[in-house]
Amino acid sequence: MGKKVVIIGGVAGGASAAARLRRLDEQAEIIMMEKGEYISFANCGLPYYIGGEITEKSALTLQTPNSFHARFNVDVRINNEVVAIDKEAKKVKVKKTDTGEVYEESYDKLILSPGAEPIRPTVNGFDNPKVFTLRNIPDTYKIKDYTKKANVHSAIVVGGGYIGIEMAENLFRAGLDVTIVEGADHIIAPLDAEMACDVQNHIRDKGIELILNDKVLSIEDSGEGLNVKLASGDRYADMVILSIGVRPESKIAKEAGLAVNDRGAVLVNENMLTSDEDIYAAGDVVAIQDFVTGGEGYIPLAGPANKQGRIVADNITGIKSVYKGTQGTGVLKAFDMTVATTGIKEEAAKKSGLDYEKSYTYSASHATYYPGAVNMSVKLIFEKVSGKILGAQIVGYDGVEKRLDVIATAMRAGMTIFDLTELELSYAPPFSSAKDPVNMAGFVAENIMTGKTKVFHWNEVDKLPRDGSVNLLDIRTRMEYDNGTLDGFMNIPVDELRQNLDRLDKTKPVYVTCQIGLRGHVACRILSQNGFDCYNLSGGYRLYASIKRSKDYKPGQFVKKIDNNIGNIETFGPSDEQKEKEIPDAGKKLIKVNACGLQCPGPIMKLADAMAQADSGDVVEIETTDPAFGCDVEAWCRRTGNTFQGIESSKGMSKATIQKGGTCPVSSPCAGNAKNLIVFSQDLDKAIAAFIIANGAASMGRKVSMFFTFWGLNILRKHEAVPVRKDPVSSMFGAMMPRGSKKLPISNMNMGGMGAKMIRAVMNNKNIDSLESLIEASLKNGVELVACSMSMDVMGIKKEELIDGVKLGGVAAMLGNAEESDMSLFI
């Protein structure tokens, strides 16, 4: 008969050990104890069930006790908690959590894999039932059920680690207003602070409030919700998620006298054997050896836990298997962004006393001439003398995890930064570039190692003297320079540098910046070969600007909330048959403009600047996140005589194509006899008059546009309440303003609403259409109803709250319509 093996814990390490053990030894008696009711569940998928990305409960359970027993003949005992270990007698004491019954079970070999438990600080209020942690499936169901309650609209997530970010995103997708409170100066601990800035900016842009360098002092229940007291002031939320880290669940190991470290993690050797020759341990309960530094560490990850369980089973059955350390390779989805890390970060390299250097590169996910390329930021940390790769961090969109995995593999194989330059990686324009981002990181690191380029870093920029003792040079184009530069830097574009060397003092060092560091390297090669001592800003102005934007953010300031719906694609414009697919003349240019993040009229102004640089027939392709741009750009094209070729929108981003020239500007004397109404008032009588005029003009065959701004927006609101995310001020505005046409007051004799009811009664008696009927008729008659997007932001009104058929627009749309009209009325 085989050995009797008892396993404590039925998730990653425990389940992996049980399955491997059975495959190696059909005769072994295997008992797996799990104190919960689920085994082998998908811990990492739990946040996505809360957010609705995973829709089926069954998807979270990879195996059930019955299926695991049927496949592996393992005695799976759920709701059985091991409460004590007797090493001498080789027995465990077990408590049935559903009945309270206690019994003993003997073992030949014992495997500890109870995992880790969420840290709950000893702060007043953290034991409130509205404060949640996420460890297992029952926790998941509790959180999801609670978010569905009618009065739950907001959440505070305490902790900005992997689980905290995933929970914040998924609570946001579930419809809640979300705030993250992080005690450190940046989120995602495996990242260095500067690499976290892009993620922080992205999360804030999505509409999540992110508070750094702050901590929760206490939580008070106000009855309806929670008053969360921070060091910076009070915040209100309907629920709180604690995600400040985990600690090894090692109580029974410590009580049994097994060796643990100061953190409480169980100490094991390379075979995963504890201080007792018959007890092994695996997963989040154990201390690990750091693969990079060789020192002791604690890195709770699912991949290492599964590998360790497998190694334990090998050693129990006589196969000498060794665990070679944890590298800390991980990846995180933060809305549209991907964050991936491996090895140690710079902070750890400093603490370990390593002689290291770092490089920053900014590379496209695939060939830039193939549509859809997006950039990724790569930080590489390496030893100065040997070039050994110590760690890597990549932040971006498509292709991030692929590149990180290549570097992680190179590290495991003992490769250096020089080897990265020689890797032959797959290439085709839709997937990569001939010089892959991994190769580019190697090239840049190699240039630094071999002295071809001297570098300085973002944290040294502000320390540079501005007294003329050094040359400070920005070698980007004039337009880039005008859009923002480093304080005190003069501008000489790199293509003009050779002709302007006399403007620089050769006796003083030159500190160069470009956008991402690439042109800066070219400039430094020119300067160094002409006798200058040149230093290139690694990561360029882009990295510095990202850090500055993140640091300048103040809690509570306005952030643009980008639509978080996915898979929603809209296109409008000429049909494919009408639309030019290519620029017809070989001599014409395609000008690409990025106006993302700007609100009206910013994108139109950038479009106008680009069009001023274009020649007749050139095509401008502009990308923006402004929801009103689609309406604005059509009107702008009509007014300026340019050809609108179409627009495509996906995931909150719009891309419009405009060809310079081709039509007659509508501002000419023959502009037309359209009618333009600007509706500012929310008074019932004025709204009725406006729609009577609009329907009358439409019935005469006139083009009619009605532009609703500020209080006039209330006319277009739906009558019923719409569940949308709003900040407290916007919610207050919404409650105070009339919801839709049926709640509008009248300008005179309102009498607390009686006047409005009287006028409606009179209209009904005289067979005059109601305002609601007039609005419906206007849409049928082709009247264009445009809601001012800027006013909507100010008033806290969301698009979902407006009646169907309303378009969003801005000042360009209104002015364009006005210039086409022979009459404009302000109501």
Side-chain angles (χ1 to χ4, degrees):
M1 185 173 177
K3 294 185 181 73
K4 181 179 181 180
V5 181
V6 172
I7 302 172
I8 302 174
V11 191
S16 179
R20 174 73 167 176
L21 196 57
R22 175 57 72 218
R23 288 193 292 266
L24 295 175
D25 186 352
E26 185 64 22
Q27 305 306 316
E29 180 184 359
I30 307 171
I31 303 171
M32 187 164 69
M33 307 281 194
E34 170 56 49
K35 70 177 181 179
E37 56 183 302
Y38 297 93
I39 65 160
S40 193
F41 59 84
N43 304 64
C44 299
L46 301 182
Y48 299 99
Y49 177 74
I50 292 169
E53 293 286 308
I54 297 173
T55 58
E56 299 296 330
K57 289 183 177 181
S58 59
L60 299 175
T61 50
L62 308 178
Q63 292 276 3
T64 66
N66 289 337
S67 67
F68 203 87
H69 179 267
R71 176 73 55 87
F72 299 110
N73 190 26
V74 170
D75 181 0
V76 179
R77 302 180 188 177
I78 59 173
N79 298 316
N80 277 243
E81 180 181 6
V82 176
V83 295
I85 303 169
D86 185 341
K87 294 187 300 179
E88 284 67 34
K90 297 181 69 171
K91 291 181 180 179
V92 293
K93 183 186 288 186
V94 187
K95 178 183 177 181
K96 294 185 177 181
T97 57
D98 51 355
T99 66
E101 177 189 345
V102 176
Y103 68 97
E104 289 186 339
E105 190 69 59
S106 63
Y107 65 84
D108 294 320
K109 299 293 180 182
L110 180 66
I111 302 174
L112 294 177
S113 189
E117 58 185 348
I119 296 173
R120 294 187 76 105
T122 54
V123 173
N124 289 339
F126 274 164
D127 57 350
N128 190 289
K130 298 171 187 172
V131 177
F132 301 87
T133 58
L134 181 64
R135 182 189 181 186
N136 51 40
I137 289 178
D139 291 343
T140 308
Y141 294 161
K142 284 180 186 177
I143 295 172
K144 189 171 181 73
D145 291 344
Y146 194 77
T147 62
K148 291 181 177 179
K149 291 186 177 181
N151 62 340
V152 176
H153 305 290
S154 60
I156 289 177
V157 177
V158 183
Y162 278 30
I163 298 297
I165 299 302
E166 290 170 347
M167 280 302 304
E169 175 184 348
N170 283 283
L171 288 170
F172 182 82
R173 288 188 180 277
L176 276 64
D177 281 322
V178 180
T179 298
I180 300 172
V181 179
E182 168 58 49
D185 64 351
H186 68 283
I187 59 173
I188 311 172
L191 287 178
D192 285 311
E194 76 276 15
M195 292 298 288
C197 288
D198 271 356
V199 194
Q200 290 163 184
N201 293 332
H202 182 67
I203 287 171
R204 285 165 172 158
D205 284 345
K206 286 293 184 180
I208 286 180
E209 183 79 79
L210 173 59
I211 303 173
L212 301 173
N213 291 306
D214 210 340
K215 61 180 180 180
V216 178
L217 303 178
S218 66
I219 298 176
E220 296 176 357
D221 197 324
S222 64
E224 291 297 319
L226 299 171
N227 187 34
V228 182
K229 291 186 175 296
L230 306 179
S232 61
D234 292 1
R235 293 284 175 135
Y236 174 87
D238 297 314
M239 64 186 300
V240 168
I241 306 291
L242 277 184
S243 182
I244 57 176
V246 296
R247 58 186 165 214
E249 193 167 330
S250 57
K251 180 183 176 184
I252 60 172
K254 287 184 280 188
E255 291 175 345
L258 296 177
V260 298
N261 64 11
D262 293 340
R263 188 175 190 141
V266 176
L267 298 177
V268 294
N269 66 10
E270 63 182 7
N271 307 120
M272 306 309 297
L273 187 65
T274 70
S275 55
D276 185 283
E277 63 181 7
D278 293 314
I279 303 177
Y280 292 82
D284 295 351
V285 77
V286 303
I288 55 89
Q289 182 185 51
D290 189 296
F291 175 78
V292 177
T293 67
E296 185 184 294
Y298 182 70
I299 306 176
L301 292 170
N306 280 278
K307 294 179 183 70
Q308 291 163 7
R310 179 185 176 94
I311 289 169
V312 167
D314 284 355
N315 283 287
I316 288 175
T317 55
I319 300 172
K320 294 303 178 185
S321 189
V322 171
Y323 185 67
K324 297 179 181 179
T326 299
Q327 196 169 324
T329 304
V331 65
L332 168 70
K333 175 184 178 295
F335 287 97
D336 305 327
M337 189 167 271
T338 304
V339 181
T341 64
T342 190
I344 61 173
K345 60 181 182 178
E346 185 179 353
E347 181 183 341
K350 283 181 183 176
K351 288 181 179 178
S352 298
L354 297 174
D355 186 19
Y356 71 92
E357 185 53 275
K358 58 187 175 183
S359 66
Y360 302 93
T361 51
Y362 197 59
S363 302
S365 56
H366 59 249
T368 53
Y369 57 82
Y370 187 88
V374 286
N375 285 324
M376 63 185 76
S377 299
V378 182
K379 179 176 183 178
L380 204 59
I381 305 165
F382 49 93
E383 282 187 342
K384 281 185 178 179
V385 176
S386 66
K388 174 186 176 182
I389 306 167
L390 302 174
Q393 302 162 36
I394 308 182
V395 175
Y397 298 90
D398 292 342
V400 166
E401 69 287 353
K402 168 184 173 182
R403 276 54 184 230
L404 193 282
D405 284 344
V406 171
I407 297 174
T409 303
M411 289 176 64
R412 185 62 70 161
M415 293 181 176
T416 68
I417 57 102
F418 301 103
D419 295 310
L420 297 185
T421 68
E422 299 175 5
L423 291 179
E424 186 176 333
L425 303 173
S426 59
Y427 162 61
F431 304 105
S432 185
S433 300
K435 296 177 182 178
D436 188 86
V438 173
N439 299 135
M440 289 301 299
F443 292 145
V444 171
E446 180 191 46
N447 284 335
I448 295 171
M449 285 280 293
T450 56
K452 295 183 180 67
T453 302
K454 297 178 183 178
V455 293
F456 68 110
H457 296 292
W458 62 271
N459 55 325
E460 300 172 275
V461 169
D462 294 338
K463 300 174 185 175
L464 292 172
R466 264 70 174 180
D467 58 2
S469 59
V470 297
N471 296 289
L472 302 177
L473 180 61
D474 186 327
I475 53 86
R476 296 175 299 157
T477 64
R478 185 72 196 182
M479 181 180 295
E480 289 174 291
Y481 180 82
D482 289 342
N483 283 339
T485 188
L486 303 176
D487 179 47
F489 278 61
M490 67 181 292
N491 180 226
I492 304 176
V494 65
D495 294 341
E496 303 170 18
L497 185 57
R498 291 184 180 88
Q499 294 77 39
N500 288 277
L501 294 178
D502 58 334
R503 295 175 59 186
L504 302 172
D505 188 339
K506 193 174 289 189
T507 66
K508 301 171 184 176
V510 185
Y511 291 88
V512 171
T513 184
C514 66
Q515 189 66 13
I516 61 174
L518 182 59
R519 285 173 287 174
H521 170 66
V522 174
C524 270
R525 292 305 301 154
I526 294 171
L527 291 168
S528 63
Q529 294 178 80
N530 279 278
F532 290 88
D533 183 20
C534 187
Y535 299 82
N536 181 31
L537 177 58
S538 186
Y541 178 76
R542 186 205 170 278
L543 175 62
Y544 181 89
S546 173
I547 297 165
K548 187 174 189 306
R549 181 189 169 200
S550 181
K551 287 186 175 181
D552 287 350
Y553 175 84
K554 298 293 186 296
Q557 78 181 45
F558 176 77
V559 290
K560 179 174 176 59
K561 293 193 175 185
I562 299 174
D563 182 12
N564 66 317
N565 291 328
I566 59 173
N568 181 24
I569 299 176
E570 290 181 61
T571 60
F572 65 89
S575 66
D576 288 343
E577 291 76 17
Q578 297 169 311
K579 190 163 54 175
E580 295 280 349
K581 290 295 184 183
E582 297 179 356
I583 302 173
D585 300 326
K588 302 306 178 185
K589 300 191 296 293
L590 174 64
I591 303 169
K592 294 190 175 184
V593 178
N594 184 356
C596 295
L598 298 179
Q599 287 204 33
C600 172
I604 287 294
M605 293 173 65
K606 289 203 76 169
L607 174 59
D609 288 343
M611 203 59 77
Q613 305 290 326
D615 297 322
S616 180
D618 287 349
V619 171
V620 172
E621 184 181 272
I622 180 168
E623 288 189 334
T624 177
T625 51
D626 177 17
F629 185 71
C631 189
D632 281 357
V633 70
E634 286 185 281
W636 185 87
C637 287
R638 293 196 303 267
R639 181 173 59 82
T640 57
N642 295 299
T643 304
F644 174 64
Q645 291 191 328
I647 187 167
E648 180 179 281
S649 298
S650 176
K651 297 183 180 179
M653 181 175 289
S654 300
K655 182 189 292 184
T657 307
I658 304 99
Q659 187 168 34
K660 184 164 183 175
T663 64
C664 176
V666 297
S667 54
S668 62
C670 56
N673 53 9
K675 311 300 176 189
N676 185 46
L677 286 76
I678 301 101
V679 185
F680 179 85
S681 173
Q682 67 181 16
D683 293 335
L684 173 64
D685 44 338
K686 295 176 183 178
I688 292 170
F691 276 96
I692 289 174
I693 295 169
N695 281 312
S699 66
M700 297 169 63
R702 306 292 191 256
K703 178 182 179 294
V704 182
S705 296
M706 301 179 74
F707 186 79
F708 295 82
T709 185
F710 283 93
W711 308 111
L713 291 168
N714 290 313
I715 301 169
L716 302 180
R717 293 178 73 189
K718 294 176 180 177
H719 307 307
E720 68 278 3
V722 178
V724 291
R725 295 175 299 277
K726 290 189 179 183
D727 57 69
V729 174
S730 297
S731 297
M732 182 180 67
F733 257 79
M736 294 170 62
M737 295 187 299
R739 184 182 289 124
S741 59
K742 292 181 179 179
K743 299 291 185 180
L744 301 180
I746 58 174
S747 58
N748 291 294
M749 298 188 301
N750 189 46
M751 299 179 293
M754 287 301 298
K757 292 180 180 178
M758 290 171 61
I759 199 169
R760 284 181 178 275
V762 170
M763 291 173 65
N764 184 56
N765 291 335
K766 296 185 177 294
N767 292 319
I768 300 172
D769 285 341
S770 67
L771 176 56
E772 292 72 40
S773 298
L774 290 168
I775 294 173
E776 186 178 348
S778 71
L779 291 168
K780 289 181 179 178
N781 290 332
V783 174
E784 182 183 55
L785 306 184
V786 182
C788 176
S789 61
M790 182 276 292
S791 298
M792 289 174 64
D793 277 338
V794 173
M795 307 294 283
I797 296 175
K798 306 292 185 182
K799 184 179 180 182
E800 296 92 330
E801 296 181 86
L802 302 182
I803 60 176
D804 295 336
V806 176
K807 300 170 73 172
L808 301 188
V811 64
M814 185 273 290
L815 292 175
N817 289 327
E819 291 184 353
E820 292 181 5
S821 304
D822 61 1
M823 180 188 78
S824 287
L825 296 178
F826 190 89
I827 298 174

Short mmCIF file of all heavy atoms in Angstrom, two decimals, residues 13-14 69 82 92 96 102 120 122 136 139-140 192 206 208 232 234 311 366 377 385 389 423 478 518 523 651 667 723:
data_model
loop_
_atom_site.label_atom_id
_atom_site.label_comp_id
_atom_site.label_asym_id
_atom_site.label_seq_id
_atom_site.Cartn_x
_atom_site.Cartn_y
_atom_site.Cartn_z
N GLY A 13 -1.76 25.42 -4.78
CA GLY A 13 -0.69 24.50 -4.43
C GLY A 13 -1.19 23.13 -4.00
O GLY A 13 -0.64 22.10 -4.41
N GLY A 14 -2.24 23.09 -3.17
CA GLY A 14 -2.77 21.83 -2.67
C GLY A 14 -3.35 20.97 -3.77
O GLY A 14 -3.07 19.76 -3.85
N HIS A 69 -12.53 13.89 -7.35
CA HIS A 69 -12.46 12.51 -6.87
C HIS A 69 -12.57 11.53 -8.03
O HIS A 69 -11.85 10.52 -8.10
CB HIS A 69 -13.56 12.24 -5.85
CG HIS A 69 -13.57 10.83 -5.33
ND1 HIS A 69 -14.35 9.83 -5.91
CD2 HIS A 69 -12.87 10.22 -4.34
CE1 HIS A 69 -14.15 8.70 -5.27
NE2 HIS A 69 -13.26 8.90 -4.30
N VAL A 82 -8.28 22.05 9.25
CA VAL A 82 -7.24 21.51 10.12
C VAL A 82 -6.86 22.59 11.13
O VAL A 82 -6.41 23.67 10.75
CB VAL A 82 -6.01 21.07 9.31
CG1 VAL A 82 -4.89 20.60 10.26
CG2 VAL A 82 -6.38 19.94 8.35
N VAL A 92 -3.22 15.13 12.47
CA VAL A 92 -3.80 16.47 12.44
C VAL A 92 -5.17 16.42 13.09
O VAL A 92 -5.87 15.40 13.05
CB VAL A 92 -3.93 17.01 10.99
CG1 VAL A 92 -2.57 17.24 10.38
CG2 VAL A 92 -4.77 16.08 10.12
N LYS A 96 -14.98 19.98 11.53
CA LYS A 96 -15.96 20.14 10.46
C LYS A 96 -16.68 21.48 10.66
O LYS A 96 -17.39 21.65 11.67
CB LYS A 96 -16.95 18.99 10.44
CG LYS A 96 -16.32 17.65 10.08
CD LYS A 96 -17.37 16.55 9.95
CE LYS A 96 -16.75 15.22 9.53
NZ LYS A 96 -17.78 14.17 9.39
N VAL A 102 -15.20 17.43 15.76
CA VAL A 102 -13.75 17.42 15.72
C VAL A 102 -13.26 15.97 15.67
O VAL A 102 -13.77 15.12 16.40
CB VAL A 102 -13.15 18.13 16.95
CG1 VAL A 102 -11.62 18.03 16.95
CG2 VAL A 102 -13.57 19.60 16.98
N ARG A 120 -6.25 42.66 7.67
CA ARG A 120 -7.28 43.55 8.19
C ARG A 120 -6.67 44.33 9.35
O ARG A 120 -6.48 43.80 10.44
CB ARG A 120 -8.51 42.77 8.68
CG ARG A 120 -9.27 42.05 7.58
CD ARG A 120 -10.57 41.45 8.10
NE ARG A 120 -11.59 42.46 8.30
CZ ARG A 120 -12.64 42.64 7.49
NH1 ARG A 120 -12.78 41.87 6.43
NH2 ARG A 120 -13.52 43.57 7.73
N THR A 122 -6.01 46.82 12.55
CA THR A 122 -6.79 47.05 13.77
C THR A 122 -7.19 48.53 13.80
O THR A 122 -6.65 49.32 14.60
CB THR A 122 -5.97 46.69 15.01
OG1 THR A 122 -4.72 47.41 14.96
CG2 THR A 122 -5.71 45.20 15.06
N ASN A 136 -12.16 34.40 -1.53
CA ASN A 136 -12.73 33.16 -2.03
C ASN A 136 -14.08 33.42 -2.70
O ASN A 136 -14.52 34.57 -2.82
CB ASN A 136 -12.87 32.14 -0.91
CG ASN A 136 -13.59 32.72 0.30
OD1 ASN A 136 -14.57 33.47 0.15
ND2 ASN A 136 -13.12 32.41 1.50
N ASP A 139 -16.86 35.21 -0.64
CA ASP A 139 -16.59 36.66 -0.59
C ASP A 139 -17.07 37.33 -1.87
O ASP A 139 -17.64 38.43 -1.84
CB ASP A 139 -15.08 36.91 -0.45
CG ASP A 139 -14.53 36.49 0.90
OD1 ASP A 139 -15.33 36.31 1.83
OD2 ASP A 139 -13.30 36.35 1.00
N THR A 140 -16.84 36.67 -2.99
CA THR A 140 -17.23 37.23 -4.30
C THR A 140 -18.74 37.41 -4.38
O THR A 140 -19.23 38.46 -4.82
CB THR A 140 -16.76 36.28 -5.42
OG1 THR A 140 -15.38 36.01 -5.25
CG2 THR A 140 -16.99 36.91 -6.79
N ASP A 192 8.13 50.65 -10.31
CA ASP A 192 8.74 51.85 -9.76
C ASP A 192 7.79 53.02 -9.97
O ASP A 192 6.92 52.99 -10.86
CB ASP A 192 10.09 52.12 -10.43
CG ASP A 192 11.17 51.17 -9.94
OD1 ASP A 192 11.30 51.01 -8.71
OD2 ASP A 192 11.88 50.58 -10.79
N LYS A 206 -10.25 57.41 -16.73
CA LYS A 206 -11.43 56.56 -16.84
C LYS A 206 -12.54 56.99 -15.89
O LYS A 206 -13.69 56.57 -16.05
CB LYS A 206 -11.04 55.10 -16.55
CG LYS A 206 -10.27 54.44 -17.68
CD LYS A 206 -11.13 54.27 -18.91
CE LYS A 206 -10.41 53.53 -20.02
NZ LYS A 206 -11.25 53.38 -21.22
N ILE A 208 -12.03 57.16 -12.23
CA ILE A 208 -11.82 56.70 -10.86
C ILE A 208 -10.97 57.72 -10.12
O ILE A 208 -9.95 58.19 -10.63
CB ILE A 208 -11.14 55.32 -10.85
CG1 ILE A 208 -12.16 54.23 -11.27
CG2 ILE A 208 -10.56 54.98 -9.48
CD1 ILE A 208 -11.61 52.84 -11.29
N SER A 232 -6.29 62.90 5.06
CA SER A 232 -6.51 64.14 4.30
C SER A 232 -7.92 64.70 4.47
O SER A 232 -8.22 65.77 3.96
CB SER A 232 -6.25 63.88 2.81
OG SER A 232 -7.15 62.89 2.32
N ASP A 234 -12.44 63.59 5.31
CA ASP A 234 -13.47 62.56 5.28
C ASP A 234 -13.95 62.28 3.86
O ASP A 234 -14.04 63.19 3.03
CB ASP A 234 -14.67 62.98 6.13
CG ASP A 234 -14.33 63.01 7.62
OD1 ASP A 234 -13.17 62.73 7.95
OD2 ASP A 234 -15.22 63.32 8.43
N ILE A 311 6.33 20.14 -7.37
CA ILE A 311 7.65 19.74 -6.85
C ILE A 311 7.50 18.93 -5.57
O ILE A 311 8.23 17.95 -5.34
CB ILE A 311 8.52 21.00 -6.65
CG1 ILE A 311 8.92 21.56 -8.01
CG2 ILE A 311 9.75 20.70 -5.79
CD1 ILE A 311 9.56 22.93 -7.95
N HIS A 366 3.37 47.15 -32.93
CA HIS A 366 3.71 46.54 -34.21
C HIS A 366 4.12 47.65 -35.17
O HIS A 366 4.19 48.82 -34.77
CB HIS A 366 2.55 45.69 -34.77
CG HIS A 366 1.26 46.43 -34.98
ND1 HIS A 366 0.14 46.20 -34.22
CD2 HIS A 366 0.90 47.39 -35.87
CE1 HIS A 366 -0.84 46.98 -34.63
NE2 HIS A 366 -0.40 47.70 -35.63
N SER A 377 5.69 51.57 -22.86
CA SER A 377 6.86 52.06 -22.14
C SER A 377 7.59 50.87 -21.51
O SER A 377 6.97 50.07 -20.83
CB SER A 377 6.45 53.03 -21.03
OG SER A 377 5.77 54.15 -21.57
N VAL A 385 28.34 46.20 -15.00
CA VAL A 385 29.54 45.51 -15.46
C VAL A 385 29.21 44.35 -16.39
O VAL A 385 29.74 44.23 -17.49
CB VAL A 385 30.37 45.01 -14.26
CG1 VAL A 385 31.58 44.21 -14.76
CG2 VAL A 385 30.83 46.19 -13.41
N ILE A 389 20.44 41.02 -16.68
CA ILE A 389 19.12 41.65 -16.56
C ILE A 389 18.59 41.41 -15.15
O ILE A 389 18.43 40.26 -14.72
CB ILE A 389 18.14 41.09 -17.61
CG1 ILE A 389 18.72 41.21 -19.01
CG2 ILE A 389 16.81 41.85 -17.53
CD1 ILE A 389 17.96 40.41 -20.06
N LEU A 423 18.20 38.42 -30.16
CA LEU A 423 17.04 37.54 -30.23
C LEU A 423 16.33 37.69 -31.57
O LEU A 423 16.05 38.79 -32.03
CB LEU A 423 16.06 37.86 -29.10
CG LEU A 423 16.52 37.52 -27.68
CD1 LEU A 423 15.45 37.93 -26.68
CD2 LEU A 423 16.83 36.04 -27.54
N ARG A 478 9.59 72.40 -33.74
CA ARG A 478 9.11 73.62 -33.10
C ARG A 478 7.71 73.43 -32.52
O ARG A 478 7.42 73.93 -31.43
CB ARG A 478 9.10 74.77 -34.13
CG ARG A 478 8.72 76.12 -33.54
CD ARG A 478 9.84 76.65 -32.66
NE ARG A 478 9.35 77.73 -31.79
CZ ARG A 478 10.12 78.41 -30.95
NH1 ARG A 478 11.40 78.11 -30.86
NH2 ARG A 478 9.63 79.35 -30.19
N LEU A 518 14.80 58.66 -28.55
CA LEU A 518 15.38 58.13 -29.78
C LEU A 518 16.14 59.20 -30.55
O LEU A 518 17.31 59.03 -30.90
CB LEU A 518 14.28 57.52 -30.65
CG LEU A 518 14.71 56.86 -31.95
CD1 LEU A 518 15.70 55.74 -31.68
CD2 LEU A 518 13.51 56.33 -32.72
N ALA A 523 21.05 62.95 -31.70
CA ALA A 523 21.66 64.25 -31.42
C ALA A 523 22.96 64.11 -30.64
O ALA A 523 23.96 64.78 -30.93
CB ALA A 523 20.67 65.13 -30.66
N LYS A 651 -14.76 52.22 -28.32
CA LYS A 651 -14.21 52.26 -26.97
C LYS A 651 -13.87 53.67 -26.52
O LYS A 651 -12.83 53.92 -25.91
CB LYS A 651 -12.97 51.37 -26.87
CG LYS A 651 -13.26 49.90 -27.14
CD LYS A 651 -12.01 49.05 -26.96
CE LYS A 651 -12.31 47.58 -27.24
NZ LYS A 651 -11.13 46.73 -27.09
N SER A 667 -20.61 79.66 -45.60
CA SER A 667 -20.71 81.04 -45.15
C SER A 667 -20.82 82.02 -46.30
O SER A 667 -20.86 83.23 -46.10
CB SER A 667 -19.49 81.40 -44.29
OG SER A 667 -18.29 81.12 -45.00
N PRO A 723 -30.07 54.96 -13.85
CA PRO A 723 -28.91 54.66 -12.99
C PRO A 723 -27.60 54.94 -13.71
O PRO A 723 -27.19 54.19 -14.59
CB PRO A 723 -29.08 53.17 -12.70
CG PRO A 723 -29.87 52.63 -13.85
CD PRO A 723 -30.78 53.75 -14.29
#
